[in-house]
Amino acid sequence: MGAVDQAFIQAQEHRPAKSSSTYAEGIPLINLSSPDGLVSEIGNACKNWGFFQVINHGVPLEKRQRLEDSSRKFFGLSSEEKRKIRRTEKQVLGYYDTEHTKNVRDWKEVFDFVAKDPNLVPASPDPHDKELLEWHNVWPQYPPELKEASEEYVKELEKLAFKLMELIALSLGLPANRFHSFFRDQTTFVRLNHYPPCSAPDLALGVGRHKDGGALTILFQDDVGGLQVKRKSDGEWVTVKPTPDAYIINVGDIIQVWSNEAYESVEHRVMVNSEKERYSIPYFFNPAHYTMVEPLEGLTNEQSPPKYKAYNWGKFLSTRKLSNFKKLNVENIQISHFRISELADKQERALSINNN
């Protein structure tokens, strides 16, 4: 990616500290093969951290390694070759190397594909536009095994995602299958990330601070590491130490809304390294485009009224995707835009009482 130009440089307050190597003490490491207390462990991790790691997760090591090896081969191609399958506003899947987070360019290159091909999504963010588009995966000629490796991997990750969603549902006091119907026509996608060495790791970030807009993220990171989480207890940025053969899990904005803020989506970012390149593979478990996201019945009551207005996931996703192709002058759409303020809530309830 060459020298660090202005597009990559973070604002002073968001630059990583030179001594930013504190490992996240206490981030839960959960053994999914242990039946004792598993539901409460998951619940506590979601509540206190929004992040946790899982081991004995059931994903065959060789499936992940095959995709990881294919990813390294792909990113090793020339820029000219990779850009043959470059993402555009019309073809939103494939290769990309100029993505922005919070309107600052990320020090990375990516390859995106959807778990279910084709994927149905709204044609535009316009709430009145009912037209749908099909997103289709595009695959490079080399390495030839990338397509098959990707497809085999997502089958395994889907099993893990549903298992985790069942545990999260139980931890909220809901039936284990409460979330299943939302993912019947899922918009789940996978990203292969490559972070080249950066000559100014104290100025740039692989991915700037953000929260994940979907339901659940399952991340594999290599042994170089770099993922940082904003610790809820004190707001400090702490590094998630790589654990061999573990997956890092974080709840996304949709679970924050579904749970009516019992669980929170947490800000995170990715550091870059001056000497080593880094690879990671996040799996973004997302519901169907027609899903109306709102606090779930059974998790709200008179004492704890809904904190969010319903919003359409497909339109939200469509808005987010468009912002990938241009630098915005404002922050991208967030779930906070749908939050019901306490004042407005009080007024609404007063009006309801008066009308009755």
Side-chain angles (χ1 to χ4, degrees), residues 3 5 7 23 36 40 56 62 70 82 86 131 133 143 150 168 172 179 203 213 244 249 265 296 299 314:
D5 68 30
Y23 281 123
D36 298 331
S40 60
N56 293 323
E62 65 272 14
S70 300
K82 287 180 286 194
R86 196 171 191 269
E131 186 184 351
L133 286 178
S150 300
I168 289 169
L172 290 166
F179 297 117
L203 299 178
I249 315 298
S265 174
L296 294 177
L299 298 179

mmCIF file of all heavy atoms in Angstrom, residues 3 5 7 23 36 40 56 62 70 82 86 131 133 143 150 168 172 179 203 213 244 249 265 296 299 314:
data_model
loop_
_atom_site.group_PDB
_atom_site.id
_atom_site.type_symbol
_atom_site.label_atom_id
_atom_site.label_comp_id
_atom_site.label_asym_id
_atom_site.label_seq_id
_atom_site.Cartn_x
_atom_site.Cartn_y
_atom_site.Cartn_z
ATOM 1 N N ALA A 3 3.511 4.381 1.063
ATOM 2 C CA ALA A 3 3.664 5.305 2.180
ATOM 3 C C ALA A 3 2.304 5.683 2.746
ATOM 4 O O ALA A 3 1.287 5.574 2.088
ATOM 5 C CB ALA A 3 4.410 6.552 1.697
ATOM 6 N N ASP A 5 -0.354 8.033 3.424
ATOM 7 C CA ASP A 5 -0.802 9.374 3.043
ATOM 8 C C ASP A 5 -1.912 9.822 3.987
ATOM 9 O O ASP A 5 -2.367 9.094 4.860
ATOM 10 C CB ASP A 5 -1.214 9.431 1.568
ATOM 11 C CG ASP A 5 -2.471 8.643 1.253
ATOM 12 O OD1 ASP A 5 -3.344 8.512 2.129
ATOM 13 O OD2 ASP A 5 -2.597 8.153 0.112
ATOM 14 N N ALA A 7 -5.014 10.203 3.845
ATOM 15 C CA ALA A 7 -6.297 9.495 3.893
ATOM 16 C C ALA A 7 -6.340 8.442 5.000
ATOM 17 O O ALA A 7 -7.407 8.113 5.509
ATOM 18 C CB ALA A 7 -6.568 8.829 2.544
ATOM 19 N N TYR A 23 -2.953 -6.493 27.167
ATOM 20 C CA TYR A 23 -3.865 -7.563 26.792
ATOM 21 C C TYR A 23 -5.103 -7.505 27.666
ATOM 22 O O TYR A 23 -5.053 -7.074 28.820
ATOM 23 C CB TYR A 23 -3.180 -8.930 26.903
ATOM 24 C CG TYR A 23 -2.277 -9.222 25.717
ATOM 25 C CD1 TYR A 23 -0.932 -9.499 25.900
ATOM 26 C CD2 TYR A 23 -2.789 -9.204 24.423
ATOM 27 C CE1 TYR A 23 -0.097 -9.763 24.807
ATOM 28 C CE2 TYR A 23 -1.963 -9.458 23.335
ATOM 29 C CZ TYR A 23 -0.629 -9.732 23.532
ATOM 30 O OH TYR A 23 0.175 -9.984 22.452
ATOM 31 N N ASP A 36 -21.588 -27.537 32.035
ATOM 32 C CA ASP A 36 -21.845 -26.914 33.338
ATOM 33 C C ASP A 36 -21.730 -25.395 33.267
ATOM 34 O O ASP A 36 -20.670 -24.840 32.988
ATOM 35 C CB ASP A 36 -20.854 -27.442 34.388
ATOM 36 C CG ASP A 36 -20.980 -28.940 34.599
ATOM 37 O OD1 ASP A 36 -22.104 -29.448 34.411
ATOM 38 O OD2 ASP A 36 -19.967 -29.591 34.923
ATOM 39 N N SER A 40 -24.997 -19.438 31.617
ATOM 40 C CA SER A 40 -24.700 -18.257 32.446
ATOM 41 C C SER A 40 -23.351 -17.645 32.063
ATOM 42 O O SER A 40 -23.181 -16.419 32.105
ATOM 43 C CB SER A 40 -24.725 -18.610 33.933
ATOM 44 O OG SER A 40 -23.768 -19.606 34.229
ATOM 45 N N ASN A 56 -13.149 -25.518 21.664
ATOM 46 C CA ASN A 56 -13.957 -26.731 21.483
ATOM 47 C C ASN A 56 -15.302 -26.387 20.843
ATOM 48 O O ASN A 56 -16.367 -26.799 21.298
ATOM 49 C CB ASN A 56 -14.155 -27.465 22.821
ATOM 50 C CG ASN A 56 -12.847 -28.030 23.361
ATOM 51 O OD1 ASN A 56 -12.001 -28.505 22.595
ATOM 52 N ND2 ASN A 56 -12.658 -27.958 24.666
ATOM 53 N N GLU A 62 -8.986 -28.235 9.860
ATOM 54 C CA GLU A 62 -8.534 -28.284 8.464
ATOM 55 C C GLU A 62 -9.394 -27.428 7.544
ATOM 56 O O GLU A 62 -8.917 -26.902 6.534
ATOM 57 C CB GLU A 62 -8.482 -29.732 7.963
ATOM 58 C CG GLU A 62 -9.818 -30.450 7.879
ATOM 59 C CD GLU A 62 -10.204 -31.149 9.168
ATOM 60 O OE1 GLU A 62 -9.572 -30.863 10.221
ATOM 61 O OE2 GLU A 62 -11.137 -31.978 9.120
ATOM 62 N N SER A 70 -5.856 -20.434 1.261
ATOM 63 C CA SER A 70 -6.375 -19.879 -0.001
ATOM 64 C C SER A 70 -6.384 -18.361 0.036
ATOM 65 O O SER A 70 -6.077 -17.694 -0.955
ATOM 66 C CB SER A 70 -7.796 -20.392 -0.254
ATOM 67 O OG SER A 70 -7.818 -21.794 -0.348
ATOM 68 N N LYS A 82 -5.950 -8.901 -8.679
ATOM 69 C CA LYS A 82 -7.002 -8.830 -7.652
ATOM 70 C C LYS A 82 -8.112 -7.879 -8.077
ATOM 71 O O LYS A 82 -9.298 -8.144 -7.820
ATOM 72 C CB LYS A 82 -6.402 -8.395 -6.313
ATOM 73 C CG LYS A 82 -5.573 -9.484 -5.641
ATOM 74 C CD LYS A 82 -4.985 -9.043 -4.318
ATOM 75 C CE LYS A 82 -3.829 -8.081 -4.475
ATOM 76 N NZ LYS A 82 -3.043 -7.915 -3.229
ATOM 77 N N ARG A 86 -12.854 -6.510 -8.554
ATOM 78 C CA ARG A 86 -13.011 -5.418 -7.596
ATOM 79 C C ARG A 86 -14.477 -5.082 -7.380
ATOM 80 O O ARG A 86 -15.276 -5.088 -8.314
ATOM 81 C CB ARG A 86 -12.262 -4.179 -8.093
ATOM 82 C CG ARG A 86 -12.038 -3.124 -7.030
ATOM 83 C CD ARG A 86 -11.093 -2.044 -7.553
ATOM 84 N NE ARG A 86 -10.665 -1.166 -6.489
ATOM 85 C CZ ARG A 86 -11.291 -0.036 -6.139
ATOM 86 N NH1 ARG A 86 -12.371 0.337 -6.805
ATOM 87 N NH2 ARG A 86 -10.830 0.716 -5.153
ATOM 88 N N GLU A 131 -38.075 -2.529 -4.639
ATOM 89 C CA GLU A 131 -37.311 -3.388 -5.538
ATOM 90 C C GLU A 131 -36.205 -4.116 -4.786
ATOM 91 O O GLU A 131 -35.578 -3.580 -3.867
ATOM 92 C CB GLU A 131 -36.699 -2.555 -6.663
ATOM 93 C CG GLU A 131 -36.003 -3.392 -7.739
ATOM 94 C CD GLU A 131 -35.322 -2.537 -8.808
ATOM 95 O OE1 GLU A 131 -35.521 -1.309 -8.815
ATOM 96 O OE2 GLU A 131 -34.583 -3.127 -9.604
ATOM 97 N N LEU A 133 -32.595 -6.646 -5.097
ATOM 98 C CA LEU A 133 -31.450 -7.030 -5.927
ATOM 99 C C LEU A 133 -30.944 -8.390 -5.484
ATOM 100 O O LEU A 133 -31.124 -8.785 -4.331
ATOM 101 C CB LEU A 133 -30.297 -6.039 -5.750
ATOM 102 C CG LEU A 133 -30.379 -4.660 -6.380
ATOM 103 C CD1 LEU A 133 -29.120 -3.888 -6.002
ATOM 104 C CD2 LEU A 133 -30.496 -4.761 -7.886
ATOM 105 N N PRO A 143 -6.600 -18.431 -6.314
ATOM 106 C CA PRO A 143 -6.408 -19.878 -6.352
ATOM 107 C C PRO A 143 -7.729 -20.598 -6.665
ATOM 108 O O PRO A 143 -8.783 -20.184 -6.175
ATOM 109 C CB PRO A 143 -5.936 -20.212 -4.937
ATOM 110 C CG PRO A 143 -6.535 -19.143 -4.080
ATOM 111 C CD PRO A 143 -6.563 -17.905 -4.920
ATOM 112 N N SER A 150 -14.207 -21.773 0.723
ATOM 113 C CA SER A 150 -15.112 -20.792 1.328
ATOM 114 C C SER A 150 -16.467 -21.414 1.618
ATOM 115 O O SER A 150 -17.037 -21.230 2.703
ATOM 116 C CB SER A 150 -15.284 -19.590 0.390
ATOM 117 O OG SER A 150 -14.046 -18.954 0.145
ATOM 118 N N ILE A 168 -27.331 -17.718 23.636
ATOM 119 C CA ILE A 168 -27.659 -16.323 23.958
ATOM 120 C C ILE A 168 -29.146 -16.201 24.273
ATOM 121 O O ILE A 168 -29.549 -15.520 25.229
ATOM 122 C CB ILE A 168 -27.240 -15.390 22.801
ATOM 123 C CG1 ILE A 168 -25.717 -15.295 22.736
ATOM 124 C CG2 ILE A 168 -27.847 -13.997 22.965
ATOM 125 C CD1 ILE A 168 -25.174 -14.612 21.489
ATOM 126 N N LEU A 172 -30.995 -15.115 27.957
ATOM 127 C CA LEU A 172 -31.958 -14.009 28.087
ATOM 128 C C LEU A 172 -33.313 -14.494 28.606
ATOM 129 O O LEU A 172 -34.254 -13.713 28.715
ATOM 130 C CB LEU A 172 -32.151 -13.320 26.734
ATOM 131 C CG LEU A 172 -30.967 -12.493 26.217
ATOM 132 C CD1 LEU A 172 -31.150 -12.165 24.729
ATOM 133 C CD2 LEU A 172 -30.809 -11.208 27.033
ATOM 134 N N PHE A 179 -34.411 -17.171 17.973
ATOM 135 C CA PHE A 179 -33.826 -16.349 16.902
ATOM 136 C C PHE A 179 -33.827 -17.042 15.537
ATOM 137 O O PHE A 179 -33.550 -16.396 14.528
ATOM 138 C CB PHE A 179 -32.386 -15.964 17.257
ATOM 139 C CG PHE A 179 -32.256 -15.118 18.490
ATOM 140 C CD1 PHE A 179 -31.576 -15.590 19.609
ATOM 141 C CD2 PHE A 179 -32.798 -13.837 18.543
ATOM 142 C CE1 PHE A 179 -31.442 -14.817 20.749
ATOM 143 C CE2 PHE A 179 -32.665 -13.047 19.683
ATOM 144 C CZ PHE A 179 -32.000 -13.538 20.795
ATOM 145 N N LEU A 203 -0.153 5.991 13.597
ATOM 146 C CA LEU A 203 -1.004 6.985 12.920
ATOM 147 C C LEU A 203 -2.225 6.379 12.249
ATOM 148 O O LEU A 203 -3.277 7.014 12.146
ATOM 149 C CB LEU A 203 -0.199 7.745 11.848
ATOM 150 C CG LEU A 203 1.010 8.551 12.313
ATOM 151 C CD1 LEU A 203 1.694 9.184 11.103
ATOM 152 C CD2 LEU A 203 0.603 9.624 13.314
ATOM 153 N N GLY A 213 -22.827 -3.875 12.861
ATOM 154 C CA GLY A 213 -24.248 -3.581 12.711
ATOM 155 C C GLY A 213 -25.149 -4.795 12.711
ATOM 156 O O GLY A 213 -26.363 -4.672 12.893
ATOM 157 N N PRO A 244 -4.754 -20.009 20.338
ATOM 158 C CA PRO A 244 -4.726 -20.994 19.246
ATOM 159 C C PRO A 244 -6.064 -21.713 19.071
ATOM 160 O O PRO A 244 -6.651 -22.180 20.044
ATOM 161 C CB PRO A 244 -3.619 -21.966 19.689
ATOM 162 C CG PRO A 244 -2.734 -21.142 20.568
ATOM 163 C CD PRO A 244 -3.638 -20.195 21.288
ATOM 164 N N ILE A 249 -15.839 -13.979 19.580
ATOM 165 C CA ILE A 249 -17.248 -13.719 19.313
ATOM 166 C C ILE A 249 -17.611 -12.343 19.847
ATOM 167 O O ILE A 249 -17.208 -11.982 20.965
ATOM 168 C CB ILE A 249 -18.155 -14.760 20.027
ATOM 169 C CG1 ILE A 249 -17.612 -16.186 19.857
ATOM 170 C CG2 ILE A 249 -19.602 -14.619 19.564
ATOM 171 C CD1 ILE A 249 -17.545 -16.689 18.441
ATOM 172 N N SER A 265 -23.548 -4.032 22.094
ATOM 173 C CA SER A 265 -22.512 -4.110 21.076
ATOM 174 C C SER A 265 -21.374 -3.182 21.511
ATOM 175 O O SER A 265 -21.626 -2.068 21.961
ATOM 176 C CB SER A 265 -23.114 -3.652 19.745
ATOM 177 O OG SER A 265 -22.156 -3.573 18.745
ATOM 178 N N LEU A 296 -37.415 -7.423 21.591
ATOM 179 C CA LEU A 296 -38.278 -8.594 21.523
ATOM 180 C C LEU A 296 -39.322 -8.604 22.633
ATOM 181 O O LEU A 296 -39.046 -8.216 23.772
ATOM 182 C CB LEU A 296 -37.432 -9.863 21.623
ATOM 183 C CG LEU A 296 -36.472 -10.141 20.474
ATOM 184 C CD1 LEU A 296 -35.664 -11.393 20.753
ATOM 185 C CD2 LEU A 296 -37.223 -10.296 19.150
ATOM 186 N N LEU A 299 -38.912 -9.327 26.558
ATOM 187 C CA LEU A 299 -37.766 -8.628 27.151
ATOM 188 C C LEU A 299 -38.085 -7.163 27.438
ATOM 189 O O LEU A 299 -37.214 -6.387 27.810
ATOM 190 C CB LEU A 299 -36.549 -8.728 26.229
ATOM 191 C CG LEU A 299 -36.038 -10.152 25.968
ATOM 192 C CD1 LEU A 299 -34.854 -10.123 25.016
ATOM 193 C CD2 LEU A 299 -35.656 -10.861 27.263
ATOM 194 N N GLY A 314 -32.699 -4.770 5.992
ATOM 195 C CA GLY A 314 -32.226 -4.674 4.614
ATOM 196 C C GLY A 314 -31.897 -3.251 4.215
ATOM 197 O O GLY A 314 -30.876 -2.982 3.559
#
